[in-house]
């Protein structure tokens, strides 16, 4: 299993060549190598950036966006278990979800895999998560941190409303909130009163680990 094959993964996804993607992903999984799996996931994420540009510029249409998303999702689901640490989870619990109105979950799922491989227990609320579900999960699980993912500019306003609702319910002061996803910036995170913005899954996991080790 070579690094060159990982580069080919990006090209195969951008050619919408599912059989070739499956072949490369199967070989990566068979290698059992977590570093190779990380490279493969990074390669898929890089390809999806290009997909986004093609879609935005009118070069690709919705069916290509949907199909590339489906291929990527299956590939990531197969690769993700390689990232997981089978050891004890002891660094605390986090709750994570994609904000209401937004169905994107590939980045959230990568973030979850990194977080669980770093020893965090992850409660996944899924996509299109509303204020009440976020609030209930915080009450039920008392997490170290709440993570909210958002890729759609039109849905981002919901994050501020979740944070407001948590404050109104008296749950905010004991909770750290981290936000991320392609529609989010550091400035936006500050504006809505989040504790942190993470541009990628590794940074996000490091931030939460630093919170969970605070006395
Ligand atoms: Co959509 N989509 N999409 N899409 N899609 C984007 C986001 C878009 C930027 C494409 C574009 O126009 N250039 C655009 C949004 C524009 C905007 O609002 N600014 C867009 C659009 C418009 C839409 C639809 C409205 C299209 C339509 O129907 N007309 C529609 C919306 C549906 C809805 O949600 N209600 C739609 C649908 C879809 C699919 C379902 C087809 C599919 C999603 C499949 C899925 O997720 N299961 C899809 C895809 C694949 C994309 C692109 C191409 C790729 C997204 C992705 O998975 N990237 C995307 C283009 C782009 O992002 N440039 C696009 C890879 C992923 C690893 O990156 O999620 O950013 P990302 O995650 C990173 C970091 O951001 C970070 O860590 C991850 C890894 O390091 N991170 C966090 C993410 N969440 C985090 C949370 C954290 C911390 C870090 O803390 C909690």
């Amino acid at each position: 299993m070579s690094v060159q094959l990982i580069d080919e993964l990006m090209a195969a996804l951008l050619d919408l060549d599912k059989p070739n993607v499956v072949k490369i992903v199967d070989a990566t999984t068979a290698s059992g190598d977590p570093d190779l799996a990380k490279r493969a996931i990074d390669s898929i994420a890089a390809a999806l950036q290009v997909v986004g540009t093609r879609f935005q510029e009118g070069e690709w249409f919705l069916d290509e966006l949907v199909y590339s998303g489906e291929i990527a999702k299956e590939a990531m689901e197969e690769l993700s278990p390689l990232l997981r640490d089978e050891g004890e989870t002891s660094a605390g619990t986090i709750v994570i979800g994609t904000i209401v109105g937004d169905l994107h979950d590939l980045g959230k799922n990568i973030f979850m895999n990194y977080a669980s491989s770093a020893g965090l227990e992850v409660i996944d609320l899924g996509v299109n998560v509303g204020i009440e579900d976020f609030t209930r999960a915080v009450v039920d699980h008392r997490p170290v941190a709440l993570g909210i993912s958002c890729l759609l500019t039109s849905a981002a306003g919901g994050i501020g409303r979740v944070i407001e609702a948590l404050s109104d319910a008296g749950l905010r002061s004991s909770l750290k909130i981290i936000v991320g996803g392609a529609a989010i910036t550091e400035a936006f995170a500050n504006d809505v009163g989040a504790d942190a913005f993470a541009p990628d899954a590794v940074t996000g996991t490091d931030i939460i680990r630093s919170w969970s080790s605070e006395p």
Side-chain angles (χ1 to χ4, degrees):
M1 184 63 218
S2 70
V3 170
Q4 190 196 345
L5 214 49
I6 294 296
D7 293 337
E8 282 174 27
L9 180 56
M10 181 169 176
L13 182 51
L14 289 173
D15 285 343
L16 299 176
D17 181 353
K18 186 173 177 183
N20 203 19
V21 170
V22 170
K23 196 181 83 187
I24 298 168
V25 168
D26 283 351
T28 307
T29 313
S31 78
D33 179 349
D35 288 334
L36 214 52
K38 275 182 199 155
R39 279 173 187 265
I41 287 173
D42 286 349
S43 172
I44 293 168
L48 288 173
Q49 286 291 336
V50 179
V51 170
T53 307
R54 287 182 183 177
F55 180 67
Q56 202 165 15
E57 291 177 353
E59 191 186 334
W60 274 15
F61 297 99
L62 193 56
D63 48 355
E64 284 138 332
L65 183 74
V66 171
Y67 189 47
S68 60
E70 280 170 12
I71 299 174
K73 186 161 184 151
E74 278 176 36
M76 284 183 180
E77 278 170 2
E78 186 177 332
L79 292 163
S80 292
L82 266 79
L83 300 184
R84 275 185 214 128
D85 183 355
E86 300 301 330
E88 253 179 69
T89 56
S90 58
T93 298
I94 64 167
V95 166
I96 184 162
T98 300
I99 195 68
V100 64
D102 189 345
L103 303 176
H104 295 85
D105 64 357
L106 298 175
K108 170 184 72 64
N109 295 346
I110 293 178
F111 179 81
M112 281 168 31
N113 284 311
Y114 273 92
S116 59
S117 76
L120 290 152
E121 188 184 340
V122 182
I123 311 287
D124 178 22
L125 303 183
V127 296
N128 194 26
V129 182
I131 295 176
E132 280 182 15
D133 288 335
F134 275 119
T135 308
R136 194 175 315 117
V138 168
V139 171
D140 288 351
H141 300 287
R142 294 286 162 179
V144 174
L146 171 67
I148 308 178
S149 184
C150 178
L151 273 83
L152 286 184
T153 313
S154 57
I159 296 178
R161 290 192 286 280
V162 170
I163 297 178
E164 232 172 79
L166 289 166
S167 299
D168 293 348
L171 297 164
R172 178 70 183 95
S173 57
S174 55
L175 177 73
K176 297 282 195 187
I177 298 177
I178 182 165
V179 294
I184 305 302
T185 60
E186 180 115 48
F188 176 87
N190 288 335
D191 277 357
V192 294
D195 295 291
F197 159 72
D200 58 68
V202 175
T203 309
T205 302
D206 287 347
I207 293 171
I208 296 178
R209 283 298 303 247
S210 73
W211 288 338
S212 65
S213 60
E214 280 173 10

